[in-house]
Amino acid sequence: MRAVTALRTMRISLRARLTLVYAGLFLVTASLLVGVTYLVTTRTVDHGFGQIVVARLPNSGGAGPGTAVTAPGPPPADLLYEVRENVKAQAAAQRRAVLHNLIQSSMLTVLALCLLALMLGYLVAGRMLRPLQTVTATARRLSESTLHERIGLAGPRDEIKELADTFDGMLDRLHRAFDLQRRFIANASHELRTPLAINRAVIEVTLAKPGVADETKELGRKLLGATARHERLIEGLLLLARSERELGERTFVDAAELARDAVEEFTPAARAAGVTVTSAFSPATTAGDIVLLERCVANLVENAIKYNHTDGGHVWLMTGQAGGWAYVRVENTGAPIAAPDVQAIFEPFRRLTRDRVGSARGAGLGLSIVRAVVRAHGGTIEARPRPGGGLAITVHLPAARVPAAVVRA
């Protein structure tokens, strides 16, 4: 059973499978041909040896010179029986020898031709599958920045040509879709930010005028708060859309430096919330978009402080490198989270607790941006609830192999 399971799970290439099919079909066909030839030869040999008869028997004695020749009489019955049996035995032995030589030479020929069929089948299968290898190589090479490339397979209008043409058509549609997305992000970045910036400027100018009534000032402060939330929401959506796209140029980055900057940035917020931040930084070198990685680490730290609903809460931040991966681990105390609900916090606009509904705390995009940035950099993210409440999130990014110090842009 283990051998059968191993064979089922074994990965065999299509070229090898086609070669085995060709050789198997040849072996079956050759075996049938050898069988038919053996049956026909057996019938022919049996029929030929069955016609052997004793035509005449020699005289009992010879006639010498001067001896009168007399007509021979009929041979004795026992002599005739003995001769017939000898002839039958010789015929049977010769029949067996002929059939044995036939089957032996046929099997050797079949085995030799089967080996030849394996080699020829492997070469023919490779030539037939070469267009598929071209399609596969093109698909592996394609990315957002190379969607303009096409397979352009030449040859007869067969199934493989239709597959390549269908793939090229799909690339055309993807290329148009990515172009539309780029233009949308660029337009949205301008069209959405500009009105909010104008509104904020108008409100600030109005509040700066002398003699403004207290009711107007209160209304202006509320409008400024709403405008700031809208700006954060738009900024988060644009950053999420950008982080889900393919990376362009990559820069060597030390995640420990990014984490240290994030701790300095959010130290006032942690003090105001009564949260203690404990950090342990070890070099964690990776390569990627430094702006996105900064936002990723900052969102992790901000999220840990913002949703730390425990008196005297605590946040632990660690960075390091192990097993070819650079990691950033953030743990925080807080409200208990059920294990099945952990993955929901990475969905846009998803909040697990009532405390996460207030718009003043954010737009619900922080961890969604973190996941998108990590995926764009070829990393993984792991989240698990802490036994005493809160959350532990670990981000793994491919470690960069740089012999010198990390270069920060």
Side-chain angles (χ1 to χ4, degrees), residues 62-80:
T67 305
V69 178
T70 60
D78 54 350
L79 179 60
L80 183 60

Side-chain angles (χ1 to χ4, degrees), residues 22-38 103 106-107 109-111 113-114 117:
Y22 295 154
L25 291 175
F26 177 83
L27 182 60
V28 171
T29 305
S31 300
L32 291 176
L33 180 60
V34 170
V36 172
T37 304
Y38 183 82
I103 195 68
S106 299
M107 293 303 297
T109 303
V110 168
L111 290 178
L113 292 177
C114 187

Side-chain angles (χ1 to χ4, degrees), residues 196 199-200 203 218-234 359-360:
L196 291 177
N199 291 340
R200 176 160 45 82
I203 295 172
E218 182 65 23
L219 177 60
R221 284 191 290 269
K222 290 182 179 180
L223 291 176
L224 284 177
T227 301
R229 289 193 296 271
H230 293 157
E231 288 177 341
R232 289 196 301 269
L233 174 60
I234 293 173
S359 59

Side-chain angles (χ1 to χ4, degrees), residues 198-213 216-217 219-220 223-224:
I198 295 174
N199 291 340
R200 176 160 45 82
V202 170
I203 295 172
E204 290 175 350
V205 169
T206 302
L207 293 179
K209 292 180 179 180
V212 178
T216 304
K217 291 183 178 180
L219 177 60
L223 291 176
L224 284 177

Side-chain angles (χ1 to χ4, degrees), residues 223-270:
L223 291 176
L224 284 177
T227 301
R229 289 193 296 271
H230 293 157
E231 288 177 341
R232 289 196 301 269
L233 174 60
I234 293 173
E235 188 69 28
L237 289 173
L238 294 176
L239 183 60
L240 180 61
R242 179 187 172 191
S243 60
E244 288 179 341
R245 295 170 54 191
E246 183 198 2
L247 297 179
E249 296 183 358
R250 292 175 179 261
T251 305
F252 294 122
V253 182
D254 188 357
E257 294 295 329
L258 301 182
R260 188 176 290 108
D261 294 343
V263 170
E264 293 179 1
E265 178 183 355
F266 293 103
T267 294

Side-chain angles (χ1 to χ4, degrees), residues 40 48 143 199 201 235 253 257 288 301 305 316 320 325 356 406:
V40 173
S143 62
N199 291 340
E235 188 69 28
V253 182
E257 294 295 329
V301 177
I305 296 174
W316 297 269
W325 294 89
R356 295 195 177 199
V406 176

Side-chain angles (χ1 to χ4, degrees), residues 24-163:
L25 291 175
F26 177 83
L27 182 60
V28 171
T29 305
S31 300
L32 291 176
L33 180 60
V34 170
V36 172
T37 304
Y38 183 82
L39 292 177
V40 173
T41 304
T42 301
R43 293 185 59 183
T44 303
V45 170
D46 290 342
H47 180 73
F49 283 112
Q51 300 298 322
I52 297 178
V53 295
V54 179
R56 66 183 181 87
L57 293 175
N59 294 331
S60 300
T67 305
V69 178
T70 60
D78 54 350
L79 179 60
L80 183 60
Y81 177 77
E82 182 179 355
V83 171
R84 185 181 294 112
E85 292 300 322
N86 289 336
V87 171
K88 288 182 178 180
Q90 293 177 5
Q94 190 173 2
R95 174 182 177 276
R96 288 193 299 270
V98 170
L99 296 179
H100 176 73
N101 292 334
L102 174 64
I103 195 68
Q104 187 177 19
S105 59
S106 299
M107 293 303 297
L108 291 176
T109 303
V110 168
L111 290 178
L113 292 177
C114 187
L115 293 177
L116 181 61
L118 278 173
M119 292 185 291
L120 292 177
Y122 188 77
L123 295 176
V124 172
R127 186 172 183 83
M128 293 179 62
L129 294 177
R130 191 173 301 169
L132 286 180
Q133 295 173 355
T134 302
V135 175
T136 303
T138 304
R140 288 176 177 173
R141 189 174 60 252
L142 287 177
S143 62
E144 183 182 346
S145 59
T146 58
L147 281 177
H148 61 279
E149 296 185 10
R150 297 294 179 269
I151 299 174
L153 187 65
R157 190 75 183 178
D158 54 7
E159 289 81 359
I160 298 180
K161 181 68 166 57
E162 292 181 358
L163 173 63

